[in-house]
Amino acid sequence: MSRPTVLIPGPMNKTVLTGIAENFDVIRLWEADDPDALLAERAKDITAVATGGTTIDGAFLDRLPALQLVASFGVGYDKIDAAAAAERGVIVTNTPGVLDDEVADTALGLLLMTARELSRAERYLRAGSWPERGYPLTKATLSGRTMGILGLGRIGEAIAHRAEAFGISIAYHNRHPKDVAYRYYPTLLELATAVDILMIVIPGGDETRHLVNTEILQALGPDGILINVARGTVVDEEALVEALHSNTILSAGLDVFEHEPKVHPGLLDLDNAVLLPHVGSATTPTRNAMGQLVVDNLTTWYTTGAPLTPVHESTALVQNLHN
C-alpha cells in the first residue's frame, strides 16, 4: 500500500521534516529546480500540506484537487485562507497549547523591559556611562497597574496568571465574555480607557488589522504601555510611532511587526520602544514540540480521520466527518 503524499512548500523545523519522512511520501517543493512544474506533475497525488509560513490561498488550494489537510506550524495561521479551505472540504490545523508558556514568558519579559527600561539601562552600562553617574530613575513602575488583555485565549490566560503574581489587576476584551474572574469590557476602546497596560494576544488577519489605532492609543494615555506578542498587523504602526514620539503613550514592547522582518524605521529611533525579532516561542524545546504536533496532526488524520487541533473554521468539517 502506497504512503500518503505530503507537500512541504518551504523549509521547516527539523522535527517536522524527520517525522513526516518516516510515514509519508514527501515532496520538498523548495528544493525543486522548477517548483511549478513539479507541483503540476504531482498535484493529483498530494493529499496534505505541511507549512511553516507559506501563503496558502484559494488559488493555491485549487492547484491541489486531492488535498484533504493543511497542517500549519504555529498558532497564528493568517497566511492560510482557512475559510477558503473549508469551502473546498480541506481541514486546517495549527499548533496551540505547546507554546503558551513560552510566549507568556516573553510577554512578561517585554513588560518588565519596557516599564523598567532594562534594555536601555544595559546599553547605558555597556557605553561606560555608569562611572560618570547612575542611571536615571525610571518614570514607570508595575506596581498598582491594570493590564487589559486583548484576546483572553490560552496565551492570554497564561499571561494573566503571571501578571497577577506581580500584583497587576486584569481586565480583558474578547468577542464574548468568558467564565473568569477578570473584568470584561465589551469594546476595545472601553478597555483601553480603563487600563494602563494593553497586552495584545489576538490573531492577525483582515478582521483584526489596525484594531489598535490612534483612538485606542489616545485612550490608553500618557502612562500607558503597549505590548504586542500576537501579530504586527493588529497595530497601526504609523499611529504607534507617532504616539511614542509625542508621548501620547509611555512606551511599547513589541515582538511582532506589521511588515516583518522589516521594522518601521521610526521605531528603531525611539528609546521608549523595546523591540524583539519575533522570538516569542523561539526555544528549541518549544519549536520541537510545535513540530511534533504538526506531525501528530498528519498522522492522526490518516489513521483516525480526526486531526488533533483543527482551527475553528475547520471544526464543522471535522464534526460532519464523524456524524
Side-chain angles (χ1 to χ4, degrees), residues 60-281:
F60 186 93
L61 294 166
D62 287 339
R63 299 178 70 182
L64 303 174
L67 189 64
Q68 301 170 11
L69 182 79
V70 175
S72 180
F73 180 92
V75 173
Y77 52 96
D78 38 297
K79 289 191 175 182
I80 301 171
D81 191 335
E87 290 171 1
R88 292 159 175 80
V90 176
I91 292 170
V92 177
T93 65
N94 62 345
T95 60
V98 293
L99 72 167
D100 297 353
D101 287 337
E102 214 74 78
V103 176
D105 289 346
T106 302
L108 265 292
L110 267 176
L111 180 58
L112 284 166
M113 292 170 69
T114 304
R116 292 299 313 279
E117 301 179 9
L118 298 182
S119 54
R120 191 171 170 182
E122 185 194 21
R123 291 194 297 271
Y124 185 89
L125 179 151
R126 289 181 181 275
S129 301
W130 190 13
E132 299 174 12
R133 58 174 295 190
Y135 186 77
L137 300 180
T138 58
K139 298 177 182 177
T141 177
L142 292 184
S143 178
R145 283 185 175 266
T146 300
M147 176 186 291
I149 299 178
L150 175 56
L152 192 69
R154 292 185 182 94
I155 296 173
E157 289 194 6
I159 292 170
H161 295 157
R162 286 159 170 77
E164 285 182 294
F166 284 85
I168 297 171
S169 300
I170 305 298
Y172 73 103
H173 168 67
N174 281 5
R175 290 179 180 176
H176 307 287
K178 300 182 68 173
D179 185 17
V180 294
Y182 312 132
R183 182 167 183 178
Y184 172 74
Y185 287 88
T187 70
L188 175 56
L189 182 59
E190 290 174 276
L191 178 71
T193 302
V195 304
D196 47 25
I197 300 168
L198 183 59
M199 177 70 66
I200 303 173
V201 209
I202 57 171
D206 292 339
E207 291 185 5
T208 61
R209 180 175 177 79
H210 288 187
L211 272 184
V212 178
N213 54 23
T214 297
E215 182 182 32
I216 300 302
L217 294 168
Q218 288 175 343
L220 186 57
D223 292 324
I225 297 172
L226 178 77
I227 305 293
N228 190 2
V229 291
R231 284 292 185 265
T233 53
V234 177
V235 178
D236 181 342
E237 277 190 1
E238 291 288 348
L240 176 60
V241 169
E242 174 57 31
L244 289 167
H245 182 74
S246 63
N247 297 314
T248 298
I249 66 172
L250 180 68
S251 53
L254 309 174
D255 186 43
V256 290
F257 303 89
E258 190 168 358
H259 303 290
E260 62 184 56
K262 295 180 180 179
V263 178
H264 193 298
L267 290 171
L268 296 172
D269 295 334
L270 291 166
D271 281 335
N272 56 344
V274 176
L275 313 175
L276 300 180
H278 203 153
V279 295
S281 65

